[in-house]
Amino acid sequence: QVQLVESGGGLVQPGGSLRLSCAASGNIFSIATMGWFRQAPGKERELVAAISNGGRINSLDSVKGRFAISRDNTKNTVYLQMNSLKPEDTAVYYCNARWVVTYSQYDAWGQGTQVTVSS
């Protein structure tokens, strides 16, 4: 069974930085695409950034140049470094793992971590 545990959220002032971490248990990390999603109140969940097992990255236009996703396959951990944070980045951030086994796609989600950007 795959479990994802996020950490690193909190309250930060505009312009500040936070680093989110997501540790994965189970034996799928090396084959999974890992991603960070977020959901603000009253809005749909959106993909912030994702990194494939080969290191290919895609990210939301509004975070390019400010956020960076990375992964450490030796620690089964994915990170989201968030710089120059804005109030509109306030949301619950969720870690996601997506992998394919025998043509079937699977997803696992973390419990979410709150990020609040406010003065």
Side-chain angles (χ1 to χ4, degrees):
Q1 185 170 350
V2 176
Q3 288 189 321
L4 304 177
V5 179
E6 300 120 333
S7 60
L11 172 64
V12 64
Q13 292 186 342
S17 298
L18 283 174
R19 189 174 84 152
L20 305 183
S21 300
C22 172
S25 63
N27 59 355
I28 55 86
F29 191 84
S30 64
I31 65 171
T33 290
M34 301 299 298
W36 288 97
F37 288 71
R38 68 185 181 188
Q39 187 165 20
K43 294 188 176 182
E44 294 188 353
R45 189 174 296 190
E46 62 180 354
L47 175 66
V48 177
I51 181 167
S52 72
N53 59 336
R56 182 176 298 177
I57 292 172
N58 67 291
S59 59
L60 194 62
D61 283 347
S62 63
V63 307
K64 287 179 179 177
R66 299 189 298 123
F67 292 9
I69 189 170
S70 61
R71 63 191 291 162
D72 185 339
N73 290 338
T74 67
K75 297 181 179 179
N76 284 6
T77 301
V78 62
Y79 305 97
L80 185 68
Q81 178 67 43
M82 305 185 294
N83 300 325
S84 302
L85 281 159
K86 304 176 180 180
E88 51 263 43
D89 295 317
T90 295
V92 178
Y93 284 69
Y94 296 91
C95 179
N96 169 262
R98 175 167 290 178
W99 67 99
V100 175
V101 176
T102 319
Y103 308 111
S104 295
Q105 181 175 286
Y106 299 89
D107 277 278
W109 292 90
Q111 78 285 358
T113 185
Q114 177 70 47
V115 171
T116 302
V117 184
S118 175
S119 55

